[in-house]
Amino acid sequence: AAVTDAVRKLLQLRMRFIPYLYSAFNEYRTTGKPPIRALVLDWPDDASVRQIDDEFMFGDCVLVAPMFAGQSRRDIYLPAGDWFDFWTHAKISGGKTITAANGTGQIPLFVKSGALLPLAAPVEFIGPHTCFDITVNIVGNPPADFTLYEDDGVSTAYAKGEQNQLHLHAGA
């Protein structure tokens, strides 16, 4: 039962990020910027990120630092700027290494300050008629605009520009 619950929580987390990740993949299609990438691509002048191979950016504002089998804690380098722990919402100043003790049941995730982070209520599967219930989270200040992309989910019409673009903006 414990394994089933852990897998269920992981799959629900994945489904929550679908709208955010879909937008990151659309940016990859249009600009070539990988949705999942090494930290050095976002912080090329930070010598501390050049050798990091166990953390990565997930889209433009989420840093992922996986826990590995047998680990109950790990060191995580956060690049300069303010970050927020995805789980606790605690604000952490970057440019330093911190220790996370999440355990393998909760992936350490950190959101860059100044982000609009669209997350969906988890669904069991995605089909042609899936409609996401999305909550846009304002993380830090001031939040940057975010473009959320939608298409028919079936065809390749998006490649010809047939998609909705929802421009998210948090006003003052």
Side-chain angles (χ1 to χ4, degrees):
V3 172
T4 301
D5 287 342
V7 170
R8 180 179 295 113
K9 286 179 183 175
L10 185 61
L11 292 173
Q12 287 175 342
L13 178 64
R14 175 192 176 273
M15 296 307 275
R16 290 182 67 199
F17 273 97
I18 292 290
Y20 169 77
L21 191 56
Y22 186 82
S23 294
F25 270 97
N26 190 73
E27 183 175 357
Y28 175 57
R29 184 184 64 80
T30 59
T31 69
K33 186 177 187 180
I36 299 171
R37 59 190 176 273
L39 301 182
V40 72
L41 291 175
D42 288 62
W43 290 274
D45 298 327
D46 184 341
S48 297
V49 302
R50 293 184 186 146
Q51 302 301 318
I52 295 176
D53 62 0
D54 61 352
E55 298 177 27
F56 57 90
M57 287 304 293
F58 185 67
D60 284 338
C61 64
V62 179
L63 185 145
V64 181
M67 300 289 277
F68 297 98
Q71 281 186 310
S72 60
R73 56 191 315 112
R74 66 159 290 175
D75 289 341
I76 299 167
Y77 178 77
L78 295 175
D82 289 332
W83 295 85
F84 289 84
D85 183 300
F86 178 81
W87 305 105
T88 67
H89 310 291
K91 182 179 179 179
I92 305 162
S93 295
K96 65 183 178 192
T97 299
I98 64 165
T99 300
N102 296 49
T104 55
Q106 193 178 66
I107 300 167
L109 302 172
F110 300 90
V111 183
K112 245 187 339 185
S113 182
L116 289 178
L117 181 63
L119 298 173
V123 294
E124 287 188 29
F125 63 92
I126 299 172
H129 301 293
T130 299
C131 182
F132 289 107
D133 179 6
I134 297 174
T135 300
V136 179
N137 298 275
I138 298 172
V139 181
N141 214 1
D145 291 352
F146 186 89
T147 302
L148 190 62
Y149 293 90
E150 300 177 316
D151 63 33
D152 64 16
V154 179
S155 73
T156 58
Y158 65 86
K160 295 180 240 160
E162 294 180 28
Q163 60 183 196
N164 292 328
Q165 296 182 15
L166 302 166
H167 300 283
L168 307 179
H169 174 81

